[in-house]
Amino acid sequence: MSARTRRGAANTAFYATAVPLAILFLAPLVWSGFTSVYGSRATGGEPGFGVDNYLRLVEYGAGLETYVVNSVIVAVVAVVGTLVVSVLGGYAFSRFSFPGKNLLFLGALAILMVPHPTILIPIYQMLRTFGLQNSLIGVGLVVVMFQLPFGLFMMRNAFDGLPRELEEAALIDGLSRFGALRRVLLRGVTPAMVTVGMFAFIASWNEFLTPLLFLTNGDSFTLPVALVSLRSGEFGAIDLGALQAGIVVAAVPCLLIFILLQRHYVRGFTAGAVRG
């Protein structure tokens, strides 16, 4: 078999696998987008295209804007908190030697093995101690904790991939360790930071159980929790049209961020995988 024939067979196998998978993953989102603008509920009467589903969604409860802003607050806390702790922790695990270093790192990764719902009640009691129950900041901090194992793993591998001579040269030039980290090393680990931040954003934006348990004030609900309330509707009726519109609104930010940061995400994830 010639090389050209092998390449052709490989391309055929690739598209035969990739196309059905792409259809499988995209079909639900495309269906949600179509049904959100088509049907009698979308037009307020006759079947056809319209935006009534989105209008009802905007006016539901405390208003769509309130729920989106609440989700943004949780996402900002989660992304900033995850990046700060992951960068500093990953740098420490990569550059410093101290007793119990490997055991501590494995302990941090072990959080991945613990089902999140089983530790939410102790976390709630801790947040109540600090007065952060029923708080968007508290929900964001919980997401930070759940994202730390992945963040520490990525950032430690990213710092391991940088030459130590680079940091030593910065120290010789008079920079402190923090100055070398901020002005030199962060540029080299930017793809990993983008990857960690993107995962933290998607996790916080889609988080449902934590805000459902920790938030009791309806005006503080995040978008996923508000959509569940929307499903119940008045008198238990399910407004499927508005629900489909809500799914589209919730999915758009994640899709945009993934598309915009895809190049950095691939570089960061590949660098981490090589060192891991």
Side-chain angles (χ1 to χ4, degrees):
M1 181 181 294
S2 65
R4 184 174 182 179
T5 304
R6 286 197 296 270
R7 284 197 299 272
N11 289 335
T12 301
F14 172 76
Y15 286 111
T17 304
V19 171
L21 287 177
I23 295 175
L24 180 65
F25 286 112
L26 291 176
L29 185 58
V30 174
W31 176 257
S32 295
F34 177 74
T35 54
S36 69
V37 294
Y38 183 80
S40 58
R41 284 181 174 270
T43 59
E46 297 296 326
F49 289 95
V51 295
D52 281 20
N53 288 331
Y54 288 90
L55 296 178
R56 292 198 305 279
L57 178 65
V58 169
E59 298 173 351
Y60 176 77
L64 178 64
E65 180 182 355
T66 300
Y67 302 132
V68 171
V69 170
N70 292 340
S71 291
V72 170
I73 293 174
V74 173
V76 169
V77 174
V79 171
V80 174
T82 302
L83 283 177
V84 170
V85 179
S86 296
V87 168
L88 296 179
Y91 177 73
F93 279 117
S94 174
R95 290 296 194 263
F96 295 102
S97 296
F98 49 87
K101 171 183 171 181
N102 293 331
L103 185 62
L104 183 61
F105 185 69
L106 290 176
L109 295 183
I111 298 177
L112 289 172
M113 311 299 173
V114 180
H116 293 175
T118 61
I119 58 176
L120 285 178
I121 299 304
I123 293 174
Y124 179 81
Q125 293 174 343
M126 293 175 59
L127 292 180
R128 186 173 58 184
T129 302
F130 295 103
L132 291 175
Q133 80 278 21
N134 197 25
S135 164
L136 295 172
I137 295 178
V139 173
L141 293 178
V142 174
V143 177
V144 170
M145 189 198 71
F146 289 145
Q147 290 299 305
L148 278 186
F150 174 75
L152 287 175
F153 178 78
M154 288 293 297
M155 295 313 304
R156 191 198 69 164
N157 289 343
F159 282 115
D160 283 347
L162 296 180
R164 290 182 178 273
E165 292 78 6
L166 194 65
E167 183 179 6
E168 292 171 356
L171 296 176
I172 293 174
D173 288 341
L175 293 177
S176 63
R177 278 197 173 274
F178 182 77
L181 170 65
R182 183 174 63 87
R183 302 179 63 177
V184 179
L185 299 184
L186 287 186
R187 297 180 182 178
V189 297
T190 297
M193 292 176 60
V194 171
T195 304
V196 172
M198 190 181 72
F199 270 80
F201 173 82
I202 294 176
S204 61
W205 188 263
N206 295 323
E207 179 64 29
F208 170 72
L209 185 58
T210 301
L212 177 67
L213 294 178
F214 288 13
L215 301 176
T216 56
N217 185 356
D219 292 345
S220 300
F221 282 171
T222 57
L223 190 56
V225 178
L227 290 182
V228 172
S229 304
L230 178 65
R231 284 184 59 192
S232 298
E234 193 175 4
F235 305 119
I238 300 176
D239 191 343
L240 291 177
L243 177 60
Q244 299 290 3
I247 292 173
V248 173
V249 171
V252 166
C254 294
L255 289 174
L256 290 178
I257 287 181
F258 183 82
I259 293 173
L260 293 175
L261 301 179
Q262 182 183 16
R263 179 169 58 91
H264 299 286
Y265 158 73
V266 173
R267 288 175 54 196
F269 200 77
T270 303
V274 170
R275 293 298 300 180

